[in-house]
């Protein structure tokens, strides 16, 4: 009979310890340890398992003898989701989708279930069958082979899935399923870890792919412990908040493809619509005769996106100048303001500065820097940029304008969107790009100031 034992787990990284600790030695988090009861196998059980494992049928195989190239990815019939997965679902893979409540995880997976070509088992511990049906009625798809199952015991779910042999198993969500081998409540670290481990074993043994929904913790990590991300094959995260136009699906880990991918969706009355032309939508309200607004040519994932950046620079109202950003790193904006002050003698130190990247996307591509600088100067001097101009370069601390990757791709997109001019770094290599767009090369911030505002 297995022994019951109390252990303590860090709710941030999953580190476990026999004693309660104030600070986690692994991740440095304070006050993150929670108590959980787990069953430890006895010495006899361990010996029995060892004996079993020496009798396993599987044998090591030469790498050259392993057949490759026959893994066919299954098309999910959702182009944005396929893109994030690297082309489709690999048989036997376990995919974890994380995101804040209300972002659209259940909607996306139900939509995929209803559009998928094959048998689906949708396990929900969050909603009743009626609630799921109500949601399904809003979606413009139907699948006669989609089964709903409101069960939370993982062994029951897996034995049912073993009998049904679905083409895809969906678990909504990992925090609601429980394993009877563990005494802690649903959603606790040891439950989440155990259930994910069972799902992973099931997927590998049967070849049935599994998509797991995981809630996000306050600090933004999926399901709390990072170790969950180590168990599964693919981790994707839903970003954006409920007030924004777009919902972004970003790959964080992918054992079968690149993590450099991004899917873009828009929540509508009939579910999540795929957005294949984000640039047009992100610029639809752009007015080139107003100061403080510019267009940045950025690359998110693999594709170029043209996005409007807005700055508002006003005289400081309180003693300390206010700085506020939306979609861009606050510290990076402070750095850019300091560079502008030092290199171009612009009086940002006495101004309140607000920055907004339209559409609620969080931009990490430094190629947006030049557009931000142009928007800041444009607002400070109240001069509108005027024509259809795009910017794509990074700013360095000495005021130098640095080149960014995939510049050709950005220029080709500028052409497609009907831009007349693009400002890039002098060091960018653009040989061989046939375009009608005028390319302006800048080496220092002072050049930008002279050429546009001088
Ligand atoms: P949901 O998918 O339940 O989010 P999660 O599973 O991530 O918690 O809910 C998404 C939100 O989207 C919810 O507030 C209702 C809304 N919604 C729509 O706007 N249109 C739709 O067609 C559907 C199904 C939901
Ligand atoms: Mg949900």
């Amino acid at each position: 009979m297995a022994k019951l034992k109390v252990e303590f787990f860090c709710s941030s990284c999953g580190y476990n310890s026999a004693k309660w600790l104030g600070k986690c030695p692994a991740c440095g988090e304070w006050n993150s340890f929670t108590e959980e009861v787990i069953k430890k196998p006895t010495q006899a059980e361990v010996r029995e398992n060892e004996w079993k494992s020496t009798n396993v049928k599987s044998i090591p195989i030469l790498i050259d003898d392993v057949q490759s190239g026959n893994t066919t990815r299954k098309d999910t019939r959702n182009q944005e989701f396929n893109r994030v997965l690297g082309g489709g679902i690999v048989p036997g893979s376990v995919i974890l989708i994380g995101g804040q409540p209300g972002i659209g995880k259940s909607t996306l997976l139900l939509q995929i279930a209803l559009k998928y070509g094959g048998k689906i088992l949708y396990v929900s511990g969050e909603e009743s069958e009626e609630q799921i049906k109500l949601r399904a009625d809003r979606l413009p798809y139907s699948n006669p082979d989609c089964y709903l199952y409101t069960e939370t015991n993982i062994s029951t779910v897996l034995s049912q899935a073993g009998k049904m042999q679905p083409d895809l198993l969906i678990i909504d969500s990992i925090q609601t399923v429980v394993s009877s081998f563990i005494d802690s409540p649903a959603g606790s670290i040891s439950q989440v870890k155990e259930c994910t481990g069972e799902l992973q074993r099931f997927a590998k043994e049967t070849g049935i792919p599994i998509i797991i929904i995981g809630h996000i913790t306050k600090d933004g990590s999926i399901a709390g412990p990072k170790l969950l991300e180590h168990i599964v094959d693919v981790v994707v995260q839903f970003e954006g908040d409920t007030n924004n136009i777009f919902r972004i699906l970003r790959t964080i880990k992918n054992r079968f493809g690149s993590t450099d991918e991004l899917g873009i969706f828009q929540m509508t009355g009939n579910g999540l619509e795929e957005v294949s032309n984000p640039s047009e939508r992100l610029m639809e309200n752009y007015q080139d005769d107003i100061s403080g607004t510019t267009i940045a040519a950025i690359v998110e994932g693999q594709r170029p996106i043209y996005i409007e950046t807005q700055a508002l620079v006003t005289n400081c109202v309180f003693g300390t100048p206010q700085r506020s950003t939306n979609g861009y790193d606050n510290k990076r904006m402070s750095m850019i303001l300091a560079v502008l002050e030092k290199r171009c003698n612009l009086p940002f130190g006495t101004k309140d500065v607000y920055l907004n990247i339209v559409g609620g996307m969080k931009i990490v591509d430094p190629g947006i820097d030049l557009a931000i600088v142009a928007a800041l100067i444009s607002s400070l001097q109240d001069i509108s940029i005027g024509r259809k101009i795009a910017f794509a370069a990074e700013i360095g601390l000495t005021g130098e304008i640095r080149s960014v990757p995939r510049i050709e791709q950005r220029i080709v997109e500028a052409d497609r969107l009907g831009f007349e001019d693009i400002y890039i770094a002098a060091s960018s290599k653009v040989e061989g790009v046939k375009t009608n767009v005028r390319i302006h090369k800048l080496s220092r911030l002072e050049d930008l100031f002279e050429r546009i505002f001088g």
Side-chain angles (χ1 to χ4, degrees), residues 228-246:
L228 197 62
E229 299 184 16
H230 295 299
I231 307 172
V232 300
D233 302 306
V234 182
V235 181
V236 291
Q237 194 151 342
F238 235 138
E239 291 173 4
D241 69 58
T242 34
N243 306 320
N244 288 325
I245 320 178
F246 292 144

Side-chain angles (χ1 to χ4, degrees), residues 100-107 135 138-139 267-271:
Q100 287 165 347
I103 192 98
K105 301 180 294 294
S106 307
T107 307
R135 186 196 298 266
R138 296 175 67 179
L139 304 172
M267 185 59 92
T268 67
N270 300 318

